[in-house]
Amino acid sequence: MSAPAFDLVIANAHLATMAGTAPYGEIRDGAVAVSGDRIAWVGAARELPGNARTAPTVDAGGRWLTPGLVDCHTHIVYAGNRANEFEARLGGATYAGIAQAGGGIAATVRATRAASIDDLVAQSRPRLAALAAEGVATIEVKSGYGLDVANERKMLEAARAVAAAVGVDLRTTLLAAHALPPEYAGRADDYVDFACREMIPVAAREGFADAVDAFCEGIAFTPAQTRRVFEAARAHGLPVKLHADQLSDTGGAALAAEFGALSADHLEYTNDAGVAAMARAGTTAVLLPGAFHVLRETRLPPVAAFRAHGVPMAIATDCNPGTSPVVSLVLMMNFACTLFRLTPEEALAGATKHAARALGLADRGTLVTGHRADIALWDIAEPADLSYMIGGNACAGVVRAGKVARWPGR
Ligand code: NIG
Ligand code: FE
């Protein structure tokens, strides 16, 4: 049997593979070989197969490699900006109060509906470019500021255009049950009917969303309404995710688990029964420390219970104009450690392998043979530096789907 041909070798690197039993799956003095868009070999440099010597090679200069980062929860495609609400909250207004007065999500819905697809692309692209510059290779983008078929479709079309322009792999999520659009004021159940009868079937038929999400909360949709959304998603073969237990305990985590959700997200108020249900269902916990910080929340997600029950914890930016105007997943790793007491190793796993799991992606998130060759190169002394440092950008290079997108000296 002849040895596999390599299209690219990354030499002279330390590896945080995030696989195996060593902390960070660490391999010092390692190398990675790529064939096509896949990782074909990972290991200690001295064991590199002989045929690697003739393959095109890039030198990592003794820096660290990690899996390309995965931002598994964003609302990055929107128009306008809500800095005015930030100022109002600093003056004493509340997130819920602003929403009740017609601002909040509704303000972004007005701006997003009024925007052309080109406007949406132009406004969203710098945000995604900032994430990609810090090693993000895969992003999830939610709709939820259109709230009718044409505008939800427009948002996710814009997401595809932005992801293609920046070179990042994309998963899209239909978040029709995010807020009540003005034309349905006072008729939440009618809107949920519309979402179930029209929006979800159209998204499934046209294939413009990979999953369905909802905002289950006192200021949004009830557990009963969320259940109807999930039943419609199931009937149309779409997996579900949920904004659960962010501001109060509505039993959202248990409801998500009941439907075998890929993830339940936020989870500050999730109780132990909800955590146990997530563990049984294999639902990933997505922690969003940016929203926690911006809303100056004090109730912490039940991290110890997630650990005790073996629920994987992912971390994401939740990039959105209201509660998390955040375009750095690396900063969220720091917040997850500082605010939620994750370890730096948990934070990196949360932005790589567990984030991939939250999207149902089994082919990425670790540096192992067969995974997509999405790889980030970092100017750091130790993997913990990624969570420790605040500001700057230590990402020195990026390989996406086996192609060098950026490298020192190139
Ligand atoms: O994830 N929780 C609901 N949705 C967003 C906020 C969206 C907004 O305020 O525009 C979130 O925090
Ligand atoms: Fe969100």
Side-chain angles (χ1 to χ4, degrees):
M1 203 177 92
S2 64
F6 298 134
D7 298 310
L8 177 70
V9 171
I10 308 175
N12 193 17
H14 303 306
L15 317 178
T17 67
M18 307 314 288
T21 51
Y24 297 95
E26 176 181 311
I27 301 175
R28 298 236 167 203
D29 302 312
V32 176
V34 172
S35 293
D37 67 352
R38 297 285 137 177
I39 295 173
W41 189 91
V42 177
R46 63 178 183 284
E47 291 166 13
L48 198 60
N51 61 330
R53 259 178 262 128
T54 55
T57 299
V58 288
D59 186 343
R63 296 178 183 86
W64 281 86
L65 301 179
T66 70
L69 305 188
V70 177
D71 194 350
C72 66
H73 178 143
T74 86
H75 311 250
I76 205 165
V77 170
Y78 61 83
N81 138 335
R82 292 180 10 225
N84 59 331
E85 294 180 10
F86 176 64
E87 292 184 300
R89 285 200 305 276
L90 291 172
T94 64
Y95 183 65
I98 290 168
Q100 273 146 16
I105 294 172
T108 302
V109 171
R110 286 191 291 276
T112 302
R113 284 180 167 183
S116 69
I117 191 155
D118 290 348
D119 279 349
L120 271 182
V121 169
Q123 293 186 44
S124 306
R125 183 173 171 164
R127 295 189 281 267
L128 183 53
L131 288 173
E134 281 192 337
V136 170
T138 302
I139 188 171
E140 184 254 20
V141 178
K142 301 177 194 296
S143 66
Y145 295 122
L147 308 182
D148 59 32
V149 171
N151 283 297
E152 293 282 283
R153 186 197 284 118
K154 177 180 78 178
M155 283 187 71
L156 296 180
E157 266 175 37
R160 278 185 282 279
V162 174
V166 175
V168 164
D169 203 37
L170 173 73
R171 286 295 172 279
T172 52
T173 301
L174 181 73
L175 179 55
H178 192 200
L180 208 53
E183 60 274 21
Y184 279 92
R187 296 188 297 130
D189 279 316
D190 290 349
Y191 178 65
V192 171
D193 281 345
F194 171 68
C196 295
R197 288 212 205 107
E198 290 288 330
M199 299 168 94
I200 290 171
V202 170
R205 191 167 63 239
E206 296 181 11
F208 68 73
D210 301 310
V212 168
D213 194 348
F215 186 17
C216 183
E217 191 55 67
I219 57 168
F221 295 92
T222 65
Q225 290 163 342
T226 302
R227 176 178 292 280
R228 286 164 55 210
V229 169
F230 281 1
E231 280 165 353
R234 178 186 273 168
H236 289 87
L238 289 170
V240 298
K241 308 168 77 66
L242 188 63
H243 284 72
D245 308 329
Q246 179 187 8
L247 307 170
S248 62
D249 181 3
T250 66
L255 179 60
E258 185 189 327
F259 282 82
L262 289 173
S263 70
D265 304 41
H266 288 287
L267 305 171
E268 279 82 348
Y269 284 82
T270 296
N271 60 39
D272 207 62
V275 176
M278 287 175 65
R280 284 193 300 275
T283 296
T284 298
V286 178
L287 305 183
L288 303 167
F292 177 92
H293 168 73
V294 169
L295 295 179
R296 305 181 74 232
E297 295 290 330
T298 52
R299 167 87 171 217
L300 292 166
V303 165
F306 292 135
R307 287 191 190 116
H309 287 273
V311 174
M313 292 179 282
I315 294 162
T317 60
D318 195 14
C319 177
N320 76 70
T323 63
S324 195
V326 168
V327 291
S328 172
L329 184 54
V330 175
L331 181 62
M332 293 305 97
M333 290 166 57
N334 173 274
F335 278 19
C337 296
T338 308
L339 300 173
F340 295 167
R341 291 294 182 225
L342 268 66
T343 67
E345 185 182 0
E346 286 174 325
L348 183 54
T352 55
K353 69 174 172 184
H354 297 328
R357 193 173 187 277
L359 297 177
L361 296 172
D363 73 340
R364 68 195 72 187
T366 60
L367 297 180
V368 295
T369 301
H371 265 200
R372 236 175 99 95
D374 289 340
I375 301 167
L377 176 74
W378 303 95
D379 239 327
I380 52 176
E382 296 295 333
D385 290 2
L386 288 175
S387 294
Y388 160 66
M389 292 299 294
I390 298 176
N393 178 6
C395 183
V398 172
V399 172
R400 288 198 205 99
K403 299 275 179 296
V404 177
R406 185 157 65 81
W407 207 258
R410 287 172 55 131

